[in-house]
Amino acid sequence: MGNIKLANIRVKRIHGFAKGFDYRPGHQFHPGEDITHAWNAVFIFGAWRLIDVTWGTGYTDHTGKFQRKLNEHFFLTDPEVLIWTHFPYCEMESNYSRWQLLDKPLKLDEFNALPKVTPFFFEYNLRIRSRPQNPVVFRFQTELKLTAHKPTRYKYKLYSVEDRENGALNNYVFCQLKEDRLLGSFAICPPTEGMYYFKVYARPEWQMYEDTTLKNVAIFLLECLKAKKHINPYPLHDVPWGPGQSFFDFKMKLINQVGPVIVTWGGKRKLTVETASVMLITQQLFDSNGKEMDTRGIISREDSDTRISFTITPPRIGYYKFLIFGIPKPKLKGKWRLPLLASFLIDCKLTKNPSDDDPYNSNNKKDTKKKKMRIPTVR
């Protein structure tokens, strides 16, 4: 800070609460009980701006050691952004909330209600659609929504607060993109009552061509007051359900399907895709436990120059994961890596009982015994 003073720049040291590296989602800050953090406001270009030189130059890891790493997010940060992690508080100075530099300053309980977000949350221009809660309290099921300026790839982890970070409960989350793929929807239905962490990773699709690493953008604390008695988990899936980025890159369209869930009621369902050119296509089918299935007799395909139709006949009631891979048909022969085009959840509500058509089923056998002819008695 000495260099700032030498440059004759006005500086204000700000004290308050901060959601740092060791902050646990759900923690409620209370004056006099929690350790405060310090950052600064600097007056440049005719206005006060916020900086945190401590967090901007590194972080403290889980061992307590300070790791030096430049983070430009905390230099001249917009007040609307910094308030998610920094809350000015000082009992010795009146009107201290003015150092939030907001037109409508937040109260401490409003700050406590904000989930934990990282600098990548703002770098990717993400927003939380629902009203901020910390924890998110619900019965049976809840839906979290994140909006972005451009289509974004998401991953997530759902785990109990009593466990280490893992993805063992990810099959109790259904993720899909809505509203022109600008809204990420996470429908969460935990198997039991309790407290859970929900950790979200993201990266804009246009950046996935250079780096496929998804960054942690937010962590939510969930409190499930009551769980469903009978719940079938979804097949595990790493990306949002539905058409992926390659599907749109190749100018493909769904003809007779809206959304990523294909529901069948005891019969065949047809999925038709329109293509801009002849495609090299392959598909995979998995059961609810993640075991790959032989698609013969379950999925048949008809190809034309501009359309591909899949006829789906699930063998039994339950969930299935249907994946479609492909690229425009190459002119040269060879081995080609086919990207994932789309993923669909097949929800089979009812199947046709095979025994109904089984001629050897005892319930369907016709009575082949000859009826005895009754001879009337002659009197």
Side-chain angles (χ1 to χ4, degrees):
M1 300 303 295
N3 293 334
I4 293 180
K5 292 182 179 179
L6 290 175
N8 199 26
I9 297 176
R10 295 168 60 189
V11 182
K12 169 66 178 179
R13 184 179 177 88
I14 303 174
H15 297 271
F17 304 115
K19 298 179 180 180
F21 181 82
D22 57 348
Y23 170 78
R24 304 290 290 179
H27 176 74
Q28 304 291 307
F29 290 101
H30 297 285
E33 299 180 11
D34 292 281
I35 299 175
T36 58
H37 179 62
W39 60 100
N40 299 97
V42 293
F43 192 82
I44 56 176
F45 303 115
W48 286 101
R49 302 297 302 274
L50 299 170
I51 62 173
D52 188 333
V53 294
T54 304
W55 288 12
T57 54
Y59 63 94
T60 303
D61 62 18
H62 64 281
T63 64
K65 185 178 180 181
F66 185 78
Q67 302 290 341
R68 293 187 177 275
K69 185 177 181 181
L70 178 64
N71 192 337
E72 297 181 358
H73 172 81
F74 296 105
F75 292 95
L76 306 181
T77 314
D78 290 338
E80 295 81 6
V81 172
L82 197 67
I83 192 59
W84 284 75
T85 52
H86 293 63
F87 184 84
Y89 185 85
C90 180
E91 294 180 343
M92 305 300 295
E93 186 175 335
S94 61
N95 194 24
Y96 204 69
S97 61
R98 71 183 186 277
W99 291 111
Q100 296 181 24
L101 304 184
L102 297 173
D103 294 335
K104 295 181 179 180
L106 267 63
K107 297 180 180 179
L108 182 57
D109 58 346
E110 294 175 311
F111 175 75
N112 284 329
L114 297 176
K116 183 179 181 180
V117 296
T118 71
F120 292 106
F121 181 87
F122 301 100
E123 180 179 334
Y124 299 156
N125 293 311
L126 299 177
R127 295 292 183 270
I128 299 175
R129 172 69 65 85
S130 53
R131 182 175 64 88
Q133 298 181 62
N134 189 17
V136 179
V137 183
F138 62 95
R139 293 165 60 90
F140 304 119
Q141 180 173 314
T142 188
E143 182 182 15
L144 299 178
K145 298 178 180 179
L146 298 181
T147 60
H149 290 174
K150 295 183 178 181
T152 300
R153 180 84 57 88
Y154 293 100
K155 287 188 177 182
Y156 49 85
K157 290 181 180 179
L158 176 67
Y159 54 99
S160 171
V161 295
E162 299 176 356
D163 298 334
R164 291 186 177 182
E165 180 180 330
N166 64 83
L169 300 178
N170 283 4
N171 51 346
Y172 292 94
V173 181
F174 188 84
C175 175
Q176 61 177 310
L177 301 182
K178 302 178 179 179
E179 299 180 8
D180 295 328
R181 303 172 62 232
L182 299 181
L183 184 144
S185 168
F186 305 87
I188 306 169
C189 189
T192 60
E193 296 86 356
M195 306 291 290
Y196 298 87
Y197 286 131
F198 185 63
K199 195 170 185 178
V200 182
Y201 301 81
R203 195 179 194 92
E205 285 287 359
W206 67 271
Q207 294 186 10
M208 295 296 292
Y209 299 103
E210 301 175 356
D211 187 354
T212 59
T213 304
L214 273 64
K215 301 295 186 179
N216 174 224
V217 294
I219 305 177
F220 298 86
L221 177 65
L222 311 179
E223 182 178 1
C224 180
L225 299 179
K226 190 172 183 179
K228 293 182 179 180
K229 291 184 178 180
H230 305 287
I231 178 173
N232 295 322
Y234 303 108
L236 281 174
H237 197 41
D238 289 337
V239 296
W241 294 88
Q245 184 62 39
S246 297
F247 186 91
F248 297 96
D249 289 343
F250 298 146
K251 300 179 181 180
M252 304 174 69
K253 296 180 181 179
L254 293 175
I255 300 301
N256 62 340
Q257 175 67 27
V258 178
V261 182
I262 301 174
V263 180
T264 66
W265 289 89
K268 298 179 180 180
R269 273 295 308 272
K270 180 171 285 190
L271 174 67
T272 303
V273 179
E274 185 177 86
T275 62
S277 60
V278 179
M279 300 289 293
L280 179 62
I281 294 289
T282 186
Q283 68 269 350
Q284 287 182 307
L285 183 68
F286 299 85
D287 63 15
S288 59
N289 296 319
K291 182 179 179 181
E292 186 172 0
M293 303 175 63
D294 188 347
T295 59
R296 289 177 296 181
I298 302 177
I299 297 177
S300 60
R301 196 176 86 206
E302 297 179 6
D303 294 19
S304 66
D305 291 342
T306 58
R307 287 197 176 187
I308 303 172
S309 295
F310 301 90
T311 301
I312 304 167
T313 311
R316 56 185 178 272
I317 295 173
Y319 289 139
Y320 302 86
K321 179 170 67 173
F322 179 43
L323 306 180
I324 303 175
F325 302 84
I327 57 173
K329 191 172 183 179
K331 296 181 180 180
L332 301 177
K333 293 183 178 181
K335 293 183 178 181
W336 302 92
R337 179 183 176 275
L338 304 184
L340 177 65
L341 297 176
S343 54
F344 296 94
L345 176 70
I346 300 175
D347 184 4
C348 182
K349 303 286 189 181
L350 183 68
T351 57
K352 187 176 182 180
N353 190 346
S355 63
D356 292 344
D357 297 328
D358 185 0
Y360 300 99
N361 185 358
S362 60
N363 295 327
N364 291 336
K365 286 184 179 180
K366 295 182 180 179
D367 189 2
T368 57
K369 294 182 179 180
K370 293 182 179 180
K371 294 183 179 180
K372 293 182 179 180
M373 183 179 294
R374 182 181 178 185
I375 302 175
T377 304
V378 179
R379 294 182 180 178

